């Protein structure tokens, strides 16, 4: 019996240890693969200098340049995914310190609209702040409307932003008729016609009236150009 | 009562007499004070800084505290030869180790429950992700307790044991990152790094911090894999201890 016990201790225990270590190596791989497939936003591009130029140099403002360096230093270094809440906090710091810097808002539209989960939707709260600062700007709501429609597939939100863009002064005719186009694509021809008719009644510019008439004719024909 | 139970009770009585054990109260007070301080340091994200600090500091403080307790208790027993009083009794050495492990696990459970209650009261996050996170923390602590037992029994020196366990903890939390960095920066070193990756535990698996802080979805099944993994690694460490001390006369 003692010999048997000795074999157990000398041979079986080290063998069991080896088997457990092999199993451990297997589980380590499975565990990390599992966590990587669960986190679908694992690999995203890092913040880099060309993007910073986009924020800083669009307005030729020294403050913007300086603040973009702040953003650069505050970036989540080599992270696997962006922390949207943290990023937006930094963006808000920039817009508080330099209230008329549109760069961060455009940055949010272009580079933070890849994620369409609840975190991704946070950019819309941030972009609402741009509306208060730049009520006459049509470019930003127009682009947000595009992002809402194409990336978030949210037609209502796209319509709301399209309406904001259309109501801004100096919006080009194509932007002015955008809400009608969105309504038409949703199959709501009545609202599209009502919107265009009202717009035509209040417009005196022939350059505006022409595309409105074209769109009204399309609606009456029932054709749906893409 | 079984022999394992007797060793556990004996260990708990010893720990209660240890001054280090009562250091838990000032340590937790420091953690809470530091968490509030971190909230004040943030200009725009005070609440987030507070939550992050609480989650990270409680896990770290709990790990440091339990490791110091295990190492000091085991070292004192070996150094004062008190261990002979136990191992010369009709008790198998694996029973002695299991008794010690159960005693420290109970202390760890108490610490984790206090940390969870604190997080819940301070509103660090929703209850379910918090519960999942702290359950995972408990399993990480169990691995650390067994590792501390293995390292202290192996090295039998207080500074070396503390350094050894600290190294184990740090490597355990960075195995995946080391491989990722190696892949990007020095691919020739990846096979060498993978040795660490496969030998040391992946302690980063024992965390649901992201779910707590971002109020993400978390389910009870998220615990299953880490628990199975912890059980396997505990078995590995237990076997190492059993093989190491089977003929040791300390």
């Amino acid at each position: 019996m003692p010999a048997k016990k000795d074999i157990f201790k000398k041979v079986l225990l080290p063998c069991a240890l080896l088997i457990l270590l092999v199993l451990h190596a297997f589980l380590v791989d499975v565990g990390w693969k599992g966590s990587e497939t669960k986190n679908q936003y694992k690999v995203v591009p890092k913040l880099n200098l060309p993007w910073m130029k986009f924020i800083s140099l669009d307005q030729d403002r020294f403050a913007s340049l300086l603040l973009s360096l702040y953003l650069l230093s505050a970036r989540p270094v080599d992270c696997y995914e962006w922390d949207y809440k943290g990023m937006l906090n930094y963006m808000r710091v920039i817009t508080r310190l330099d209230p008329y810097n549109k760069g961060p808002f455009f940055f949010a539209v272009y580079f933070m609209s890849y994620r369409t989960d609840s975190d991704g939707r946070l950019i819309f709260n941030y972009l609402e702040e741009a509306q208060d600062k730049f009520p006459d700007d049509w470019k930003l709501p127009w682009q947000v409307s595009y992002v809402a429609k194409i990336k978030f597939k949210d037609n209502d939100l796209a319509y709301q932003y399209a309406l904001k863009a259309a109501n801004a002064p100096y919006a080009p005719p194509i932007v002015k008729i955008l809400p009608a186009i969105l309504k038409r694509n949703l199959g709501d021809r009545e609202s599209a016609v009502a919107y265009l008719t009202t717009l035509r009644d209040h417009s005196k510019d022939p350059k505006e009236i022409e595309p409105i008439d074209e769109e009204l004719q399309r609606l009456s024909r029932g054709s749906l150009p893409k | 009562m079984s022999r394992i139970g007797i060793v556990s009770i004996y260990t708990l009585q010893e720990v209660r007499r240890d001054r280090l054990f009562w250091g838990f109260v000032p340590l937790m007070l420091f953690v809470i004070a530091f968490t509030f301080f971190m909230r004040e340091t943030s200009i725009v994200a005070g609440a987030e800084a507070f939550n992050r600090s609480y989650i990270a500091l409680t896990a770290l403080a709990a790990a440091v505290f339990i490791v110091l307790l295990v190492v000091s208790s085991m070292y004192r027993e070996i150094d004062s030869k008190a261990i002979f009083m136990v191992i010369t009794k009709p008790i198998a050495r694996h029973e002695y180790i299991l008794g010690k492990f159960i005693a420290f696990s109970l202390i760890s459970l108490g610490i984790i429950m206090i940390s969870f209650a604190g997080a819940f009261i301070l509103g660090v996050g929703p209850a379910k992700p918090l519960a999942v996170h702290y359950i995972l923390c408990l399993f990480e602590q169990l691995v650390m307790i067994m590792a501390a037992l293995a390292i202290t029994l192996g090295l039998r020196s207080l500074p070396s044991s503390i350094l050894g366990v600290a190294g184990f903890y740090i490597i355990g939390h960075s195995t995946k990152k080391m491989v990722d960095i190696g892949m990007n920066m020095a691919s020739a070193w990846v096979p060498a790094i993978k040795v660490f990756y496969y030998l040391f535990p992946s302690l980063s698996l024992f965390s649901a911090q992201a779910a707590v802080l971002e109020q993400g979805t978390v389910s009870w099944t998220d615990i299953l894999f880490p628990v199975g993994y912890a059980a396997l690694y505990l078995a590995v460490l237990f076997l190492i201890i059993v093989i190491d001390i089977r003929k040791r006369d300390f």
Side-chain angles (χ1 to χ4, degrees):
Chain A
M1 279 300 278
K4 263 189 183 177
K5 207 173 175 181
D6 217 35
I7 287 169
F8 172 77
K9 281 184 178 172
K10 276 186 178 165
V11 181
L12 285 184
L13 285 181
C15 285
L17 183 60
L18 271 178
I19 292 166
L20 285 178
L21 280 173
V22 171
L23 201 60
H24 167 256
F26 170 72
L27 277 189
V28 165
D29 273 345
V30 170
W32 284 120
K33 271 178 196 154
S35 70
E36 275 160 16
T37 48
K38 202 174 166 186
N39 184 1
Q40 55 179 315
Y41 301 111
K42 194 99 180 148
V43 181
V44 292
K46 295 169 192 169
L47 286 180
N48 56 28
L49 273 173
W51 291 17
M52 290 306 112
K53 279 183 196 165
F54 181 78
I55 289 179
S56 59
L57 301 180
D58 60 337
Q59 293 180 59
D60 296 328
R61 294 165 72 97
F62 178 71
S64 303
L65 184 65
L66 205 65
L67 291 167
S68 69
L69 290 175
Y70 175 72
L71 178 62
L72 186 67
S73 64
R75 71 179 198 222
V77 182
D78 293 338
C79 62
Y80 295 106
E81 62 175 300
W82 281 4
D83 171 10
Y84 269 40
K85 284 177 189 161
M87 287 282 288
L88 287 173
N89 282 332
Y90 286 121
M91 309 283 242
R92 285 194 171 96
V93 171
I94 290 173
T95 43
R96 263 186 225 169
L97 292 171
D98 189 8
Y100 296 102
N101 184 357
K102 280 185 195 169
F105 294 110
F106 279 106
F107 180 85
V109 172
Y110 287 125
F111 296 112
M112 295 182 74
S113 55
Y114 291 101
R115 280 173 60 173
T116 53
D117 57 356
S118 57
D119 269 12
R121 281 193 168 266
L122 288 174
I123 63 166
F124 293 111
N125 297 336
Y126 176 59
L127 291 165
E128 280 296 320
E129 294 164 27
Q131 285 293 306
D132 303 333
K133 288 195 175 85
F134 311 105
D136 294 346
D137 181 56
W138 60 266
K139 291 174 191 162
L140 205 54
W142 176 59
Q143 308 234 24
V144 181
S145 171
Y146 173 82
V147 164
K149 166 84 180 154
I150 302 298
K151 293 188 176 171
F152 287 81
K153 316 281 182 207
D154 189 334
N155 293 310
D156 289 335
L157 199 62
Y159 176 73
Q160 282 170 29
Y161 277 100
L163 215 51
K164 280 176 188 170
N167 288 333
Y170 312 116
I174 182 69
V175 175
K176 289 225 181 263
I177 64 168
L178 184 63
I181 294 172
L182 288 173
K183 280 286 176 196
R184 185 197 65 197
N185 287 349
L186 285 173
D188 189 355
R189 282 166 190 272
E190 279 180 26
S191 299
V193 170
Y195 174 82
L196 288 171
T197 313
T198 314
L199 194 65
R200 195 185 185 290
D201 292 345
H202 287 84
S203 182
K204 288 170 187 166
D205 186 355
K207 283 181 185 170
E208 265 185 28
I209 292 169
E210 191 184 340
I212 294 169
D213 283 342
E214 279 176 18
E215 188 58 27
L216 277 170
Q217 279 171 13
R218 265 192 214 112
L219 279 167
S220 61
R221 281 201 305 269
S223 62
L224 289 170
K226 295 285 174 186
Chain B
M1 187 179 281
S2 73
R3 284 173 292 198
I4 296 171
I6 291 166
V7 173
S8 293
I9 288 169
Y10 156 76
T11 306
L12 285 171
Q13 284 171 348
E14 280 297 309
V15 167
R16 193 171 56 86
R17 280 197 282 269
D18 191 345
R19 267 179 298 179
L20 188 68
F21 177 69
W22 300 105
F24 177 69
V25 178
L27 183 70
M28 273 311 281
L29 288 175
F30 171 76
V31 164
I32 291 169
F34 196 74
T35 305
F36 278 99
F37 168 74
M38 288 304 287
R39 186 172 66 179
E40 301 307 316
T41 59
S42 179
I43 307 168
V44 289
E48 198 175 342
F50 179 83
N51 297 344
R52 273 185 194 278
S53 302
Y54 185 88
I55 293 270
L57 285 173
T58 48
L60 185 67
V64 169
F65 178 74
I66 199 73
V67 159
L68 284 177
L69 211 58
V70 175
V71 172
S72 73
S73 165
M74 282 310 298
Y75 173 74
R76 206 170 38 250
E77 236 171 75
I78 297 167
D79 193 48
S80 66
K81 313 290 182 197
I83 194 166
F84 289 111
M85 303 286 287
V86 185
I87 58 170
T88 48
K89 301 284 180 296
I91 177 171
R93 294 203 171 175
H94 72 267
E95 287 174 329
Y96 171 73
I97 296 299
L98 276 178
K100 287 272 171 199
F101 175 72
I102 289 168
F104 289 117
S105 302
L106 288 173
I107 296 168
S108 181
L109 178 68
I111 294 169
I112 292 295
M113 283 173 78
I114 291 168
S115 301
F116 170 70
F120 190 68
I121 292 164
L122 292 169
V124 170
K128 193 177 170 188
L130 271 177
V132 168
H133 177 73
Y134 280 106
I135 288 169
L136 292 176
C137 271
L138 174 67
F139 281 93
E140 184 193 72
Q141 300 250 312
L142 297 185
V143 172
M144 284 309 298
I145 290 168
M146 196 62 102
L149 284 171
I151 291 169
T152 313
L153 284 167
L155 297 176
R156 283 165 286 168
S157 148
L158 191 62
S160 320
S161 300
I162 290 172
L163 281 175
V165 181
F168 183 87
Y169 185 76
I170 292 165
I171 294 172
H173 272 281
S174 47
T175 49
K176 179 72 166 61
K177 279 177 193 157
M178 281 198 296
V179 173
D180 287 345
I181 292 167
M183 293 274 193
N184 288 320
M185 298 181 74
S187 52
W189 283 90
V190 170
I193 297 169
K194 284 229 168 180
V195 174
F196 285 95
Y197 179 66
Y198 287 129
L199 279 181
F200 284 86
S202 284
L203 295 177
S204 309
L205 288 170
F206 299 101
S207 174
Q209 190 172 321
V212 174
L213 294 173
E214 292 164 22
Q215 305 194 348
T217 51
V218 68
S219 67
W220 295 112
T221 51
D222 291 340
I223 300 171
L224 293 178
F225 181 82
V227 168
Y229 176 76
L232 180 94
Y233 206 83
L234 284 171
V236 168
L237 289 170
F238 182 66
L239 271 180
I240 290 172
I241 298 174
V242 169
I243 292 168
D244 180 39
I245 67 165
R246 62 189 167 183
K247 283 187 178 168
R248 175 91 64 81
D249 58 0
F250 297 95

